[in-house]
Amino acid sequence: MISLAQTYFIEVMTIILYCLLIFVPLLLGVVMALYADRKIWAAVQKRRGPNVVGPYGLFQVPADGLKFIFKEIILPDGSDKTVFLIAPIITLALSITAWAVVPVQAGVVLANINVGILYIFAISSLGVYGILMAGWSSNSKYPFFGALRSAAQMVSYEVSIGFVIITVLLCVGSLNLTEIVMAQKTMWFFIPLFPMFIVFFISALAETNRPPFDLPEAESELVAGYQTEYSGMPFVLFLFGEYINILLMCAMTTILFLGGWLPPIDIYPLNAVPGFVWFLLKVIFVFYLFAMVKAFVPRYRYDQLMRLGWKVFLPLSLFAVVATSSILFFFNLAPGM
Amino acid sequence: MTAQLLTFYLFSGVILISSLMVISTKNPVHSVLFLILSFLNAAGLFVILHAEFLAMILIIVYVGAVAVLFLFVVMMLDFKTSINKDNILQYIPIGILIGVVFIAELIIVLINTKFDLSNIQVLPNPLSDFTGKSNTEAIGSVLYTDYILYFQLSGVILLVAMIGSIVLTLRERVGVKRQVVSEQLQRQGKIDLVDVKSGKGVDI
């Protein structure tokens, strides 16, 4: 038993250290993303946004967090208490788990697994359970309808995200995220696969329940959707889980279409910059697009949302899979052929 | 090796416990949640077997899609009135019967092969050499060559099932106004973009 502990102690400790190395910057990123989201939204509407707490209002989000921590956790009478409390934990845990395979630089990744992209797809398809459980266990009508909407929406858009990922994989020939990035050395995939880039971006908005697809939380119809009955810390867990998922989708767009950590042109002053700086810049750019869409576009109607998912994106991405594989086959461009 | 063994016992233990909970909890939603837990742990077992592709596909298909629909349906049932645990004893004989049949089949298989599974000829052709291939590549290389017929056949069955369920549930409703986006976009001359002068207004 002692030898077992000796063998695994150092290994486990290193893994925990690596996990902290992912977790702490991620939390910092979420805080900055929340702040940036509010600032960009305010700027579009010619408001100032948060500007009171700390310099430029930078401490607004930590102050909000502190407020939530000290608030009472209200458990609704008649709710299923266990499921009610597990739901936000599942949401946050899953969203963090997906980051284990995201490479931020060549070789800088916690788990460089062969099926990285499938892993992320699987984890993000599990995200719907947090929302479903929250909506059901609240034992209240608004959360329940919010959860039903959200589940239907996420399942629908996952289909087209899956096909978009397949078109990218056809050009790469590997499921490994690092190899997906390295395959873009000559050309970033958003140039040859531009329509799929657009489909992926919009589906990512729908998958993360961002405006204009934030119907599960449409305040004019459903109060706050599945989060209605939540308060205090569980609410913060939902909020953080949601924003970590948004950042994950930004990172996925970067890795699949914008060349990950690769510099735009492989010449001296650009390729001397460390890879994670490029990665970070690209993620910030995609997040900026997410925030601008939130500010510009009015909310979709629910039947329009479903129509877009099933009648526009699904045929389009299905056609793209066939077209891409045909082109790769007939021009002998397919990797591994 | 020990860590592998420990994780195996962890995953299989959780599978056994959660499968028991599936049939013993009173709340149907809890049953489905436990079912999902056991699916997830089965995916964990696949990972221990180095079948990571199967594990991910199990999670994506069963947990991410099938079980969501399952939960969807169960959530909408009014289960508070439908629970009736009084007659649980009446299912025990048939349960025992099924269990006995399964165990008998397992015993027959194990006795016939004398615990030596290496010399069973299951396949007409021996599988090609997979060394140096990732298991995604290995599955793809046989699925689309040797087993293309079965693969296509199962695809056709799924397609038929899908079309069948759509046909069964489709009903034309009369008097419903629908939004036809292409018609809306093709409307010409009915919408004008007018630059309204301040204080003047426009004629309608």
Side-chain angles (χ1 to χ4, degrees):
Chain A
M1 212 54 200
I2 293 166
S3 66
L4 181 75
Q6 277 171 344
T7 327
Y8 290 115
F9 181 74
I10 298 170
E11 212 170 321
V12 168
M13 276 314 179
T14 357
I15 291 174
I16 291 175
L17 188 73
Y18 282 145
C19 291
L20 281 178
L21 274 179
I22 293 179
F23 186 60
V24 173
L26 207 55
L27 281 189
L28 210 64
V30 168
V31 169
M32 292 320 290
L34 273 161
Y35 174 74
D37 207 14
R38 293 174 68 174
K39 270 292 190 192
I40 293 169
W41 202 6
V44 172
Q45 298 174 343
K46 291 196 172 180
R47 291 185 288 114
R48 283 173 192 275
N51 66 346
V52 176
V53 191
Y56 304 103
L58 268 172
F59 299 150
Q60 179 69 50
V61 179
D64 281 347
L66 216 61
K67 180 190 74 176
F68 276 123
I69 290 170
F70 287 116
K71 272 189 170 180
E72 186 192 353
I73 298 172
I74 300 167
L75 296 173
D77 193 32
S79 68
D80 190 324
K81 309 245 171 358
T82 327
V83 180
F84 188 79
L85 286 177
I86 288 176
I89 297 172
I90 284 183
T91 305
L92 183 68
L94 283 176
S95 55
I96 295 171
T97 317
W99 277 87
V101 297
V102 174
V104 293
Q105 197 177 336
V108 183
V109 51
L110 177 61
N112 190 13
I113 60 175
N114 281 330
V115 288
I117 188 85
L118 276 183
Y119 173 82
I120 285 188
F121 193 55
I123 296 291
S124 70
S125 72
L126 289 182
V128 68
Y129 282 110
I131 292 170
L132 267 178
M133 286 162 75
W136 174 78
S137 64
S138 296
N139 197 16
S140 163
K141 288 187 182 63
Y142 293 126
F144 187 64
F145 279 112
L148 288 186
R149 277 187 177 188
S150 177
Q153 175 180 334
M154 288 172 86
V155 170
S156 310
Y157 279 85
E158 234 152 56
V159 181
S160 53
I161 283 189
F163 281 123
V164 173
I165 289 176
I166 289 175
T167 53
V168 173
L169 293 182
L170 283 170
C171 305
V172 179
S174 168
L175 300 175
N176 188 312
L177 288 170
T178 306
E179 279 174 42
I180 290 175
V181 173
M182 292 322 280
Q184 302 180 52
K185 263 226 147 116
T186 46
M187 188 193 283
W188 295 0
F189 282 148
F190 87 97
I191 299 169
L193 298 172
F194 190 71
M196 289 301 99
F197 174 60
I198 301 294
V199 170
F200 186 83
F201 181 73
I202 299 175
S203 301
L205 288 175
E207 180 78 7
T208 50
N209 294 331
R210 281 285 288 189
F213 305 113
D214 60 340
L215 287 146
E217 307 156 35
E219 60 266 23
S220 54
E221 303 156 29
L222 293 177
V223 191
Y226 60 90
Q227 303 170 339
T228 307
E229 305 288 346
Y230 282 89
S231 58
M233 210 53 203
F235 179 78
V236 175
L237 296 187
F238 265 127
L239 190 73
F240 269 59
E242 206 171 289
Y243 269 83
I244 291 176
N245 265 333
I246 290 166
L247 290 182
L248 178 74
M249 277 300 166
C250 295
M252 286 308 295
T253 318
T254 306
I255 289 168
L256 289 176
F257 292 102
L258 299 178
W261 61 82
L262 299 173
I265 314 163
D266 199 9
I267 50 173
Y268 166 64
L270 292 180
N271 60 18
V273 177
F276 71 89
V277 175
W278 285 118
F279 184 79
L280 207 61
L281 281 177
K282 288 169 187 175
V283 170
I284 290 171
F285 172 70
V286 180
F287 183 79
Y288 173 72
L289 293 183
F290 267 60
M292 288 304 260
V293 169
K294 179 180 179 176
F296 284 161
V297 187
R299 186 177 288 136
Y300 259 57
R301 215 171 56 210
Y302 195 69
D303 62 314
Q304 290 174 331
L305 172 89
M306 281 298 165
R307 177 185 162 272
L308 187 69
W310 289 107
K311 292 188 178 172
V312 181
F313 282 175
L314 181 61
L316 195 67
S317 50
L318 204 55
F319 171 74
V321 170
V322 177
T324 313
S325 44
S326 312
I327 290 171
L328 290 175
F329 182 74
F330 284 114
F331 292 98
N332 271 327
L333 293 167
M337 265 186 60
Chain B
M1 197 59 210
T2 337
Q4 210 173 17
L5 215 60
L6 280 176
T7 35
F8 169 75
Y9 282 125
L10 178 74
F11 283 135
S12 42
V14 174
I15 288 179
L16 287 178
I17 292 168
S18 55
S19 319
L20 264 179
M21 294 302 280
V22 170
I23 51 170
S24 61
T25 51
K26 287 199 170 132
N27 192 327
V29 175
H30 290 176
S31 289
V32 178
L33 291 176
F34 276 117
L35 185 69
I36 291 158
L37 187 63
S38 67
F39 279 156
L40 277 179
N41 283 281
L45 284 183
F46 273 133
V47 172
I48 295 178
L49 288 170
H50 296 289
E52 66 261 11
F53 182 75
L54 279 182
M56 293 305 143
I57 291 298
L58 180 78
I59 292 181
I60 291 170
V61 174
Y62 280 92
V63 185
V66 175
V68 169
L69 297 180
F70 225 74
L71 197 61
F72 227 83
V73 175
V74 173
M75 264 177 22
M76 287 196 251
L77 296 178
D78 190 14
F79 56 83
K80 282 188 186 102
T81 57
S82 67
I83 295 171
N84 188 6
K85 287 268 168 184
D86 300 335
N87 56 0
I88 193 159
L89 282 177
Q90 83 180 60
Y91 297 116
I92 281 184
I94 194 159
I96 289 174
L97 187 72
I98 292 172
V100 166
V101 168
F102 267 119
I103 288 175
E105 280 177 349
L106 269 179
I107 289 171
I108 289 168
V109 168
L110 288 179
I111 285 174
N112 276 353
T113 53
K114 302 223 170 44
F115 300 97
D116 182 18
L117 299 169
S118 60
N119 55 7
I120 309 173
Q121 289 290 316
V122 188
L123 300 164
N125 310 314
L127 286 174
S128 46
D129 190 18
F130 290 138
T131 44
K133 281 184 179 175
S134 72
N135 71 61
T136 317
E137 222 176 323
I139 290 174
S141 66
V142 290
L143 193 62
Y144 293 102
T145 51
D146 296 347
Y147 296 97
I148 184 71
L149 263 179
Y150 306 100
F151 185 68
Q152 291 280 343
L153 205 64
S154 47
V156 170
I157 291 171
L158 282 175
L159 185 69
V160 169
M162 193 172 82
I163 293 173
S165 57
I166 291 173
V167 167
L168 283 176
T169 52
L170 187 72
R171 59 197 165 102
E172 282 293 318
R173 278 184 292 181
V174 284
V176 180
K177 282 191 178 176
R178 287 189 186 282
Q179 179 185 24
V180 184
V181 175
S182 55
E183 276 181 20
Q184 282 185 340
L185 292 176
Q186 281 168 1
R187 246 156 55 139
Q188 293 287 328
K190 288 168 188 162
I191 300 173
D192 296 320
L193 197 64
V194 182
D195 192 10
V196 182
K197 292 280 186 301
S198 176
K200 295 267 176 61
V202 282
D203 297 324
I204 298 171

